[in-house]
mmCIF file of all heavy atoms in Angstrom:
data_model
loop_
_atom_site.group_PDB
_atom_site.id
_atom_site.type_symbol
_atom_site.label_atom_id
_atom_site.label_comp_id
_atom_site.label_asym_id
_atom_site.label_seq_id
_atom_site.Cartn_x
_atom_site.Cartn_y
_atom_site.Cartn_z
ATOM 1 N N ASP W 88 -12.698 14.497 26.444
ATOM 2 C CA ASP W 88 -13.454 14.169 27.649
ATOM 3 C C ASP W 88 -14.082 15.432 28.222
ATOM 4 O O ASP W 88 -13.680 16.556 27.904
ATOM 5 C CB ASP W 88 -12.535 13.543 28.707
ATOM 6 C CG ASP W 88 -12.132 12.115 28.363
ATOM 7 O OD1 ASP W 88 -12.832 11.478 27.551
ATOM 8 O OD2 ASP W 88 -11.113 11.647 28.913
ATOM 9 N N SER W 89 -15.057 15.249 29.100
ATOM 10 C CA SER W 89 -15.675 16.387 29.773
ATOM 11 C C SER W 89 -14.677 17.086 30.685
ATOM 12 O O SER W 89 -13.790 16.460 31.270
ATOM 13 C CB SER W 89 -16.873 15.925 30.610
ATOM 14 O OG SER W 89 -17.987 15.664 29.805
ATOM 15 N N SER W 90 -14.841 18.393 30.795
ATOM 16 C CA SER W 90 -14.038 19.204 31.707
ATOM 17 C C SER W 90 -14.871 20.418 32.080
ATOM 18 O O SER W 90 -16.044 20.518 31.724
ATOM 19 C CB SER W 90 -12.723 19.630 31.042
ATOM 20 O OG SER W 90 -12.978 20.592 30.020
ATOM 21 N N SER W 91 -14.277 21.347 32.777
ATOM 22 C CA SER W 91 -15.003 22.556 33.172
ATOM 23 C C SER W 91 -15.407 23.394 31.970
ATOM 24 O O SER W 91 -16.354 24.185 32.048
ATOM 25 C CB SER W 91 -14.140 23.402 34.114
ATOM 26 O OG SER W 91 -12.918 23.764 33.471
ATOM 27 N N THR W 92 -14.736 23.183 30.846
ATOM 28 C CA THR W 92 -15.032 23.964 29.633
ATOM 29 C C THR W 92 -15.498 23.108 28.458
ATOM 30 O O THR W 92 -15.871 23.647 27.426
ATOM 31 C CB THR W 92 -13.791 24.759 29.190
ATOM 32 O OG1 THR W 92 -12.702 23.855 28.943
ATOM 33 C CG2 THR W 92 -13.373 25.765 30.258
ATOM 34 N N ILE W 93 -15.480 21.789 28.614
ATOM 35 C CA ILE W 93 -15.836 20.877 27.516
ATOM 36 C C ILE W 93 -17.075 20.074 27.877
ATOM 37 O O ILE W 93 -17.121 19.390 28.908
ATOM 38 C CB ILE W 93 -14.676 19.902 27.189
ATOM 39 C CG1 ILE W 93 -13.436 20.662 26.743
ATOM 40 C CG2 ILE W 93 -15.116 18.892 26.127
ATOM 41 C CD1 ILE W 93 -13.575 21.391 25.425
ATOM 42 N N ASN W 94 -18.091 20.152 27.025
ATOM 43 C CA ASN W 94 -19.285 19.315 27.149
ATOM 44 C C ASN W 94 -19.128 18.173 26.150
ATOM 45 O O ASN W 94 -19.447 18.304 24.978
ATOM 46 C CB ASN W 94 -20.535 20.138 26.853
ATOM 47 C CG ASN W 94 -21.816 19.380 27.147
ATOM 48 O OD1 ASN W 94 -21.785 18.302 27.740
ATOM 49 N ND2 ASN W 94 -22.947 19.928 26.736
ATOM 50 N N THR W 95 -18.607 17.063 26.611
ATOM 51 C CA THR W 95 -18.159 15.998 25.721
ATOM 52 C C THR W 95 -19.251 15.466 24.796
ATOM 53 O O THR W 95 -20.408 15.302 25.206
ATOM 54 C CB THR W 95 -17.548 14.833 26.525
ATOM 55 O OG1 THR W 95 -17.074 13.825 25.609
ATOM 56 C CG2 THR W 95 -18.573 14.209 27.464
ATOM 57 N N GLU W 96 -18.857 15.194 23.568
ATOM 58 C CA GLU W 96 -19.762 14.586 22.598
ATOM 59 C C GLU W 96 -19.995 13.104 22.906
ATOM 60 O O GLU W 96 -20.939 12.501 22.389
ATOM 61 C CB GLU W 96 -19.196 14.749 21.184
ATOM 62 C CG GLU W 96 -19.138 16.202 20.724
ATOM 63 C CD GLU W 96 -18.309 16.404 19.466
ATOM 64 O OE1 GLU W 96 -18.074 15.423 18.725
ATOM 65 O OE2 GLU W 96 -17.883 17.547 19.224
ATOM 66 N N LYS W 97 -19.154 12.547 23.734
ATOM 67 C CA LYS W 97 -19.279 11.127 24.069
ATOM 68 C C LYS W 97 -20.586 10.821 24.800
ATOM 69 O O LYS W 97 -21.076 9.690 24.752
ATOM 70 C CB LYS W 97 -18.097 10.689 24.948
ATOM 71 C CG LYS W 97 -16.743 10.805 24.270
ATOM 72 C CD LYS W 97 -15.609 10.455 25.219
ATOM 73 C CE LYS W 97 -14.252 10.626 24.553
ATOM 74 N NZ LYS W 97 -13.127 10.300 25.456
ATOM 75 N N ASP W 98 -21.140 11.832 25.476
ATOM 76 C CA ASP W 98 -22.367 11.629 26.239
ATOM 77 C C ASP W 98 -23.622 12.014 25.463
ATOM 78 O O ASP W 98 -24.734 11.902 25.984
ATOM 79 C CB ASP W 98 -22.319 12.444 27.541
ATOM 80 C CG ASP W 98 -21.333 11.870 28.545
ATOM 81 O OD1 ASP W 98 -21.010 10.667 28.443
ATOM 82 O OD2 ASP W 98 -20.874 12.623 29.427
ATOM 83 N N ALA W 99 -23.464 12.480 24.227
ATOM 84 C CA ALA W 99 -24.627 12.772 23.392
ATOM 85 C C ALA W 99 -25.360 11.463 23.105
ATOM 86 O O ALA W 99 -24.735 10.398 22.998
ATOM 87 C CB ALA W 99 -24.197 13.438 22.094
ATOM 88 N N ILE W 100 -26.677 11.526 22.979
ATOM 89 C CA ILE W 100 -27.485 10.313 22.821
ATOM 90 C C ILE W 100 -26.991 9.394 21.701
ATOM 91 O O ILE W 100 -26.933 8.167 21.896
ATOM 92 C CB ILE W 100 -28.974 10.685 22.612
ATOM 93 C CG1 ILE W 100 -29.545 11.260 23.913
ATOM 94 C CG2 ILE W 100 -29.794 9.470 22.175
ATOM 95 C CD1 ILE W 100 -30.956 11.786 23.795
ATOM 96 N N PRO W 101 -26.594 9.900 20.522
ATOM 97 C CA PRO W 101 -26.141 8.977 19.468
ATOM 98 C C PRO W 101 -24.843 8.246 19.811
ATOM 99 O O PRO W 101 -24.525 7.230 19.188
ATOM 100 C CB PRO W 101 -25.937 9.899 18.265
ATOM 101 C CG PRO W 101 -26.733 11.124 18.557
ATOM 102 C CD PRO W 101 -26.653 11.290 20.043
ATOM 103 N N ASN W 102 -24.099 8.773 20.810
ATOM 104 C CA ASN W 102 -22.783 8.213 21.130
ATOM 105 C C ASN W 102 -22.714 7.463 22.454
ATOM 106 O O ASN W 102 -21.905 6.540 22.608
ATOM 107 C CB ASN W 102 -21.734 9.344 21.167
ATOM 108 C CG ASN W 102 -21.505 9.980 19.819
ATOM 109 O OD1 ASN W 102 -21.622 9.328 18.786
ATOM 110 N ND2 ASN W 102 -21.179 11.269 19.823
ATOM 111 N N LYS W 103 -23.551 7.842 23.405
ATOM 112 C CA LYS W 103 -23.420 7.311 24.761
ATOM 113 C C LYS W 103 -23.625 5.796 24.805
ATOM 114 O O LYS W 103 -24.584 5.273 24.243
ATOM 115 C CB LYS W 103 -24.424 8.003 25.687
ATOM 116 C CG LYS W 103 -24.172 7.733 27.165
ATOM 117 C CD LYS W 103 -25.036 8.617 28.056
ATOM 118 C CE LYS W 103 -24.688 8.427 29.519
ATOM 119 N NZ LYS W 103 -25.504 9.314 30.387
ATOM 120 N N ASN W 104 -22.690 5.123 25.469
ATOM 121 C CA ASN W 104 -22.718 3.653 25.587
ATOM 122 C C ASN W 104 -22.735 2.968 24.226
ATOM 123 O O ASN W 104 -23.236 1.853 24.081
ATOM 124 C CB ASN W 104 -23.939 3.198 26.403
ATOM 125 C CG ASN W 104 -23.919 3.710 27.818
ATOM 126 O OD1 ASN W 104 -22.867 3.753 28.453
ATOM 127 N ND2 ASN W 104 -25.081 4.114 28.323
ATOM 128 N N SER W 105 -22.186 3.633 23.221
ATOM 129 C CA SER W 105 -22.237 3.093 21.868
ATOM 130 C C SER W 105 -20.920 3.294 21.116
ATOM 131 O O SER W 105 -20.320 2.339 20.631
ATOM 132 C CB SER W 105 -23.388 3.751 21.102
ATOM 133 O OG SER W 105 -23.378 3.375 19.750
#
Side-chain angles (χ1 to χ4, degrees):
D88 287 340
S89 283
S90 70
S91 59
T92 58
I93 299 294
N94 188 10
T95 182
E96 294 167 20
K97 297 176 182 180
D98 289 338
I100 291 174
N102 294 329
K103 192 170 185 178
N104 298 321
S105 173

